[in-house]
Amino acid sequence: MMQTDIMAELGPLFLGSRLKRLAERLQAGAAKAFRDAGHDVQPGHMPLLAVLDRYGPTTVNALVTAIGVSQPAVTRNLAGLVSLGLVASGAAAADRRQRTITLTPAGKALLADVKQTVWPRTHDAVAAMCAPLSGPLLDQVAALEAALAERPLDARIAALPAPLRLVPYSPAIAAEFGRINSEWIAEMYTLEPHDRAVLGDPQEHIIDRGGDILFADSEGLGIVGACALMPSGGGAFELTKMGVSATARGRKVGEFLLAGVIARARAMHAEGRLAELYLLTNTKSAAAIHLYKKLGFEHSAEIMARYGSRYARCNVAMRFPL
């Protein structure tokens, strides 16, 4: 049986094929890392999603230019993303012959999660493989191939700690819910009786009534964020008490946490437990409102009329399109 690697043996002659083989091995590992994180998306989709996340709605031609691949390849990937419900395509306002591509709420939520979980570890895993490389290009390619043969990319990614992770509610960490939220509410507003009741006993006011609380745990810092889904009756749930510790601000904990809570709400909706998702806030929380809009929440006068009186500080109400 032949044991030779013909591509490596013939060197520059098959460089293109060899680089393609290397890329396929890297993408296979990244694809498994996405599956392990619970996302049914391919690495080839990520450049398109990254452009839409950074620059907002755009056209197919602009995506082709930004990524530097052929239009048929972009069109194929977009079709996959549309079928997954991560992007939407519609006629452009300025030119009806053009299509405008936008992220859906599901797409925004996915990106908020992978930017905190999969992307950083993938970056670090690939950077670690490349760090010792030196010398001619073909020697570097051979070293990368040997590294992947010894340990695939997905195994390298899985071995790295996640900078952020979601933690479910438990009585042992219930006090963190009150600590984190009391901190920011007292800093920006005034703790109202409703706040004190919910923060003082989240088990009674949220968990025992069929709601849920998720926490964000940061490597090295512990619990740094919290957010709740609190039942309001009739299948309506309020996304409430989303706070991030001052020590963790600037790390995009809020975006990661909000994406996780939205995903939890979608799962509850699929189970028939949650029919409506809304939130109440104040214009002083401008950064939070921007984040809510970014991940799909929409202003709602109806929600304001129904629930706005719950807090004296409330002058903004939003609904999430499930």
Side-chain angles (χ1 to χ4, degrees), residues 60-65 68-78 98:
V60 172
N61 288 341
L63 288 170
V64 169
T65 300
V69 299
S70 69
Q71 182 164 331
V74 169
T75 301
R76 284 196 301 273
N77 277 321
L78 284 176
Q98 288 275 352

Side-chain angles (χ1 to χ4, degrees), residues 184-207:
W184 75 264
I185 295 173
E187 178 183 327
M188 296 188 67
Y189 305 105
T190 299
L191 281 165
E192 301 179 24
H194 185 66
D195 297 319
R196 296 182 187 279
V198 173
L199 297 178
D201 194 346
Q203 180 77 40
E204 176 186 348
H205 292 276
I206 298 174
I207 303 300

Side-chain angles (χ1 to χ4, degrees), residues 11 17 28-29 31-32 133 153 161 165 171 194 205 209 223 266 269 272 297 318:
S17 297
K32 187 172 187 305
L133 300 181
L153 180 60
R165 65 187 184 96
H194 185 66
H205 292 276
R209 294 173 56 205
I223 301 296
R266 285 182 174 277
H269 177 65
F297 277 86
M318 306 179 81

Side-chain angles (χ1 to χ4, degrees), residues 26 30 33 114-133 144 147-148 151-164 219:
L26 288 168
V114 300
K115 286 193 297 183
Q116 289 289 339
T117 55
V118 183
W119 282 8
R121 290 190 293 167
T122 302
H123 172 279
D124 291 348
V126 175
M129 282 195 298
C130 292
L133 300 181
L144 286 175
L148 289 173
R151 195 180 194 190
L153 180 60
D154 55 284
R156 294 172 180 271
I157 294 171
L160 295 173
L164 289 174
E219 182 188 4

Side-chain angles (χ1 to χ4, degrees), residues 23-24 30 33 42 49-50 82 85 88 98 118-119 166 196 200 202 215 223 253 273-274 280 314 317 322:
E24 288 173 348
Q42 295 300 313
L49 293 173
V82 169
Q98 288 275 352
V118 183
W119 282 8
L166 289 174
R196 296 182 187 279
F215 296 87
I223 301 296
V253 175
R273 297 170 50 200
L274 184 152
L280 307 171
C314 176
L322 291 166

Side-chain angles (χ1 to χ4, degrees), residues 205-207 209-212 229-233 235-238 278 310:
H205 292 276
I206 298 174
I207 303 300
R209 294 173 56 205
D212 204 355
L229 293 169
M230 186 166 68
S232 301
F237 280 71
E238 179 188 359
Y278 70 94
R310 184 173 298 153

